[in-house]
Amino acid sequence: MNLFLFVLLVMQMHSVTPVIHTLQYFETASSQVPNFPEVVIVGYVDGVEISYYDSNIRKTESKQDWMNKITAEDPKYWQRVTDINVRNELITKHNLEVLKKLFNQTGGVHIVQWMSGCEWNDETDEVKGWHQQGYDGEDFISLDMKTWTYTAAKPQAFPDKLKWDQNIFILDHQKYYYTEHCPSYLKKYVKNGKKVLMRTELPEVFLLQKTPSSPVTCMATGFYPDLADLFWRKDGEQIFEDVEHGELLPNHDGTFQMSVELKVEVTAEVEGKYECVFRLSGVKEDLVTKLERRSILSNASHEGEKDTFSWRSQYDAARK
């Protein structure tokens, strides 16, 4: 999997409470990118941004109120994290220059990114970790935490692989960090942010159509968490033909939205046969929206109405 394709996995889970929690850090260094800090380091818990640092402000900022609870038992926590990020900034900048030399590059836009983190199963207490580096949008090197050896994705990474594989100090540090330190802090963050991270919010569901001949789009927006599925059924059975899924996208308020299109001519004969189904992990009942012409927000004029309303204005009005 390409390190830089941030794939939002949509899991078809039903009546199951999520038990896998994740702590992720993305560290990005870039050269000659206008109006963008040279180094940015962002932390996430269960996909929710918890911390931000960049080389302009040189300070780690909390992005969630509940993250500040950790200072009750560790008053110097944020200063310590800032000190670590300042050090990582210098290391990453140096690493970027080394990579440019390895690839015989002098100028232009170049980006190096580290992705690291861990996951914890709060039911089995199993923990896993990951540590990957990419350069200019492609995988470069990663740590295999089953064998505790590095995997070089590019020939230029082999010298680092050989050096790090033989460095017992580095490997012992990595083992401690990914099997103990990272999961320990992940558990603290989840405990402090449980009300936010473990909440469930059901969406509003709309049927949208630009013209009578356009596909019908079923949109669900305002749900949380992102462990959800949205699909079309016909006569009670899920269908895959003439169906196109949109991306899972974040809303400004921390919730999510997703959509799925159905290519069908909406006639009286098909009304009631099709239905859009939204399924959210941890919620027993599905949200079912039947395909009926009167339920579709459309650009087309409604029968008996003089004015023509766009589906966007109707959608916005319905959300108020």
Side-chain angles (χ1 to χ4, degrees):
M1 179 185 294
N2 189 298
L3 175 61
F4 300 96
L5 296 178
F6 291 88
V7 181
L8 296 173
L9 300 178
V10 182
M11 302 172 64
Q12 295 187 22
M13 299 173 64
H14 195 203
S15 302
V16 178
T17 302
V19 294
I20 304 295
H21 301 284
T22 59
L23 173 59
Q24 294 176 290
Y25 289 98
F26 295 92
E27 183 174 348
T28 304
S30 57
S31 63
Q32 298 187 24
V33 178
N35 304 316
F36 194 77
E38 287 185 279
V39 175
V40 176
I41 304 173
V42 186
Y44 296 87
V45 170
D46 291 353
V48 176
E49 185 178 354
I50 60 167
S51 62
Y52 177 87
Y53 170 95
D54 71 43
S55 52
N56 290 343
I57 62 175
R58 306 207 86 192
K59 178 183 178 181
T60 304
E61 299 178 340
S62 170
K63 306 302 288 187
Q64 303 293 331
D65 290 340
W66 49 266
M67 275 295 294
N68 292 320
K69 294 179 181 178
I70 198 168
T71 57
E73 60 183 59
D74 189 356
K76 296 183 179 180
Y77 170 81
W78 287 111
Q79 182 57 54
R80 190 169 64 254
V81 172
T82 293
D83 293 341
I84 293 172
N85 286 336
V86 169
R87 184 173 68 249
N88 287 341
E89 174 192 334
L90 299 175
I91 294 172
T92 306
K93 283 182 179 179
H94 173 73
N95 192 22
L96 176 57
E97 294 305 314
V98 170
L99 286 169
K100 287 164 65 176
K101 291 180 180 179
L102 284 175
F103 285 90
N104 296 317
Q105 298 162 336
T106 55
V109 174
H110 298 287
I111 297 175
V112 60
Q113 185 176 48
W114 284 97
M115 182 178 76
S116 61
C118 58
E119 70 175 38
W120 162 57
N121 187 319
D122 69 4
E123 217 173 56
T124 66
D125 211 35
E126 180 184 7
V127 296
K128 296 179 182 179
W130 55 87
H131 182 86
Q132 299 170 275
Q133 181 186 6
Y135 182 61
D136 283 350
E138 296 183 354
D139 293 337
F140 185 73
I141 195 169
S142 61
L143 177 61
D144 185 336
M145 296 188 188
K146 293 181 180 179
T147 62
W148 293 103
T149 58
Y150 283 86
T151 301
K154 297 288 184 181
Q156 291 86 348
F158 274 101
D160 282 342
K161 168 189 163 49
L162 295 176
K163 180 173 61 178
W164 295 342
D165 281 350
Q166 297 172 11
N167 192 318
I168 303 302
F169 174 79
I170 289 179
L171 289 176
D172 284 347
H173 172 74
Q174 301 288 41
K175 287 179 183 178
Y176 167 74
Y177 179 82
Y178 290 107
T179 61
E180 296 184 43
H181 183 87
C182 182
S184 174
Y185 273 91
L186 172 57
K187 292 174 184 179
K188 291 180 182 179
Y189 300 154
V190 170
K191 179 182 178 181
N192 291 343
K194 187 175 182 179
K195 289 184 178 180
V196 175
L197 297 172
M198 301 299 287
R199 77 188 192 277
T200 56
E201 293 185 26
L202 291 175
E204 296 175 280
V205 180
F206 301 93
L207 299 182
L208 313 172
Q209 191 178 35
K210 292 182 179 179
T211 69
S213 60
S214 301
V216 178
T217 298
C218 179
M219 172 179 283
T221 182
F223 60 88
Y224 188 91
D226 62 349
L227 302 178
D229 195 14
L230 186 69
F231 56 92
W232 283 98
R233 286 196 306 220
K234 181 181 180 182
D235 296 328
E237 297 290 331
Q238 183 175 354
I239 58 175
F240 302 92
E241 190 175 353
D242 295 326
V243 171
E244 184 174 344
H245 289 268
E247 292 182 84
L248 174 64
L249 300 171
N251 290 322
H252 70 279
D253 60 358
T255 62
F256 297 90
Q257 63 172 280
M258 63 196 312
S259 62
V260 58
E261 285 187 353
L262 173 66
K263 294 180 181 178
V264 65
E265 183 181 356
V266 185
T267 63
E269 289 73 23
V270 305
E271 283 191 297
K273 290 188 176 182
Y274 292 88
E275 54 192 16
C276 179
V277 182
F278 175 84
R279 182 172 292 172
L280 184 65
S281 175
V283 177
K284 293 183 178 180
E285 295 186 5
D286 297 333
L287 288 181
V288 179
T289 304
K290 290 188 176 294
L291 178 58
E292 297 175 339
R293 282 180 289 184
R294 65 180 181 179
S295 301
I296 299 174
L297 305 181
S298 174
N299 280 344
S301 297
H302 290 251
E303 185 176 353
E305 296 179 356
K306 294 181 180 180
D307 296 326
T308 300
F309 300 96
S310 70
W311 68 259
R312 173 58 64 183
S313 64
Q314 298 173 63
Y315 164 73
D316 291 340
R319 293 209 67 193
K320 291 181 180 179

